[in-house]
Amino acid sequence: MRLVSFRHAGANKFGAAVEGGIVDLSARTKGRWSSLRDAIAANALDELRTMTQAASADLELEDVELLPVIPDPGKILCVGLNYASHVGEVGRQMPTVPSVFSRLHNTLVPHGGDIVRPRASIDFDYEGELAIVIGERCRHVSRASALSVIAGYTCFIDGSVRDFQKHSVFAGKNFPATGPLGPWMVTSDVIADPQRLELTTRLNGTVVQHDTTDHMIFDVATIIEYLSTVTWLEPGDVIATGTPDGVGAGRKPPLWMKGGDRLEVEISGIGTLGVNVVDE
């Protein structure tokens, strides 16, 4: 099941992407949940799945404005330096524990939206990533049971302002409209193993990153075990799992994004997240 958040007729809604458009689950559930995050928190995914099976689209995709798949996550947690190839290209030491930073809500961008290169820098880089959406409130989750707390998976772009990142990771990762998320969340029952996915990033149609998630230093289960040791994980929390090599900063000369560029991240079993690069 592919769940989306969208705006239609002036209202924020959620639904399921199906052949021919979107099943309006907000309408079909008569407003019982105000957002996809609320439906996840209510443990309603099985009900939504039943409702979606054999359902015809209520709305055409062209008639809605997609939102970040979780527009209002309680937390956006990101893991850096999680592929050995990327650690090598940026000249860092191999981590022994996950390197974690957070993002603000106003960094999120929907599929089809604009990722904004800030006027303060031209060193604007791309990082294609697999993202996890948490499905239940949990703490101290063992690695063995970690996948059971996942509601689903989606695509993420960690737009990085590299010169600011040199003196502050938080600053370099938190300029507004630099974190595309979507286009939808594929529920966890569809993805049997998150370490068997293929990730491809394209800038203006040219492949700039290509790898598989089995090359993560810390796999999805380990990330959840670690983060749930540090803090409570809540329904709808988003966890970005890191990027492989091929980023602009690792190239000679560097390859920075600029206004007019088109950026896409495709993950097998999930889909393609595409955004336009614009200058602030």
Side-chain angles (χ1 to χ4, degrees):
M1 180 170 58
R2 300 180 300 173
L3 295 173
V4 296
S5 296
F6 63 96
R7 175 177 285 271
H8 181 255
N12 288 356
K13 298 185 166 192
F14 68 95
V18 297
E19 187 71 28
I22 292 176
V23 176
D24 186 346
L25 293 172
S26 291
R28 291 188 181 220
T29 57
K30 303 184 187 306
R32 286 161 59 197
W33 303 293
S34 61
S35 67
L36 179 54
R37 176 187 173 190
D38 288 345
I40 293 171
N43 196 28
L45 294 188
D46 286 343
E47 179 180 345
L48 298 181
R49 187 176 296 108
T50 299
M51 190 174 296
T52 302
Q53 288 174 349
S56 298
D58 301 308
L59 301 165
E60 294 186 5
L61 194 58
E62 295 77 14
D63 294 334
V64 307
E65 175 190 352
L66 289 180
L67 301 174
V69 64
I70 304 292
D72 56 346
K75 293 184 286 296
I76 308 167
L77 302 174
C78 306
V79 179
L81 300 174
N82 199 26
Y83 288 76
S85 60
H86 177 55
V87 174
E89 74 174 344
V90 295
R92 300 289 295 276
Q93 291 186 334
M94 195 70 68
T96 57
V97 295
S99 174
V100 180
F101 58 92
S102 60
R103 271 185 170 267
L104 301 174
H105 293 176
N106 70 348
T107 66
L108 294 181
V109 176
H111 172 68
D114 294 335
I115 183 172
V116 179
R117 184 193 67 82
R119 67 179 66 176
S121 173
I122 63 168
D123 299 351
F124 191 34
D125 208 347
Y126 52 84
E127 297 187 15
E129 309 194 13
L130 170 69
I132 306 160
V133 179
I134 295 296
E136 61 184 72
R137 190 171 195 262
C138 55
R139 184 110 198 266
H140 301 298
V141 180
S142 70
R143 185 179 182 281
S145 60
L147 298 187
S148 70
V149 306
I150 297 174
Y153 303 91
T154 189
C155 305
F156 182 69
I157 296 171
D158 187 15
S160 304
V161 184
R162 295 298 191 193
D163 47 352
F164 278 77
Q165 186 181 345
K166 289 177 182 178
H167 57 77
S168 168
V169 173
F170 181 84
K173 302 289 191 173
N174 275 288
F175 280 79
T178 57
L181 182 70
W184 40 62
M185 180 189 82
V186 174
T187 50
S188 59
D189 59 299
V190 177
I191 305 292
D193 184 352
Q195 306 310 143
R196 292 292 182 268
L197 303 177
E198 185 176 358
L199 185 153
T200 304
T201 305
R202 292 182 289 268
L203 183 62
N204 298 322
T206 299
V207 173
V208 288
Q209 292 182 289
H210 182 76
D211 210 336
T212 50
T213 53
D214 59 315
H215 290 148
M216 288 182 183
I217 300 169
F218 306 104
D219 64 13
V220 167
T222 300
I223 291 169
I224 291 175
E225 180 182 51
Y226 180 83
L227 290 176
S228 70
T229 300
V230 175
T231 188
W232 283 98
L233 299 178
E234 306 283 351
D237 283 354
V238 174
I239 301 172
T241 60
T243 199
D245 68 325
V247 301
R251 296 171 178 269
K252 300 186 187 309
L255 177 62
W256 305 128
M257 294 188 292
K258 61 187 184 305
D261 285 347
R262 175 71 177 176
L263 182 65
E264 296 177 323
V265 173
E266 180 178 0
I267 301 178
S268 59
I270 300 176
T272 301
L273 168 63
V275 291
N276 303 306
V277 184
V278 301
D279 293 328
E280 183 180 20

